[in-house]
Amino acid sequence: DGCLDVVVGNFGQAGRLFRNECASGNHWLRVNLRGNASGTDGLGAKIEVTVGGKTQVRRIVSGTSFMGQNMMDAHFGVGEADEIDSVKVYWPSGEDEGRTGVGVDQKITFEEP
């Protein structure tokens, strides 16, 4: 549904799932990477999504805190946009690639050249 859910657990406690159920009508995009030269998950890759002249940037990292894990897909909220102007991936190997005119509310995958 484009709304991110979260699982929370603490020392000695069972994990709890918090569902983020929203009905805002806004759109989203998830970008999944399959690396080759840069490693299977594309760790270190930079993804840029441009909509309406504004660019959002995400870097693929495995975790940012103790006992924490980031989801491997990059999630972008694109508001009321019906189409994404461009998606660009900059791989750690130095390769880059992009797509234009990408539809919203979907998961797309890039495979490193």
Side-chain angles (χ1 to χ4, degrees):
D1 62 1
C3 297
L4 298 178
D5 302 329
V6 66
V7 175
V8 177
N10 213 344
F11 297 106
Q13 296 179 352
R16 292 176 281 171
L17 172 66
F18 292 92
R19 287 195 50 112
N20 186 5
E21 296 182 14
C22 58
S24 69
N26 288 337
H27 299 289
W28 54 275
L29 177 73
R30 282 177 59 180
V31 180
N32 174 265
L33 301 182
R34 291 189 187 146
N36 290 310
S38 297
T40 305
D41 295 320
L43 292 175
K46 179 173 82 170
I47 303 168
E48 294 179 352
V49 169
T50 302
V51 178
K54 295 182 181 179
T55 301
Q56 298 179 52
V57 178
R58 303 281 186 278
R59 285 210 180 262
I60 302 301
V61 297
S62 61
T64 56
S65 65
F66 178 69
M67 291 185 67
Q69 170 85 29
N70 295 356
M71 66 185 228
M72 299 310 290
D73 293 348
H75 184 276
F76 297 88
V78 296
E80 296 177 357
D82 293 327
E83 186 176 78
I84 295 160
D85 300 331
S86 68
V87 180
K88 296 180 183 173
V89 177
Y90 300 90
W91 297 94
S93 64
E95 296 286 334
D96 59 70
E97 58 184 310
R99 296 181 192 164
T100 58
V102 176
V104 297
D105 300 339
Q106 66 171 323
K107 177 180 176 176
I108 63 172
T109 299
F110 283 85
E111 186 164 344
E112 185 176 18

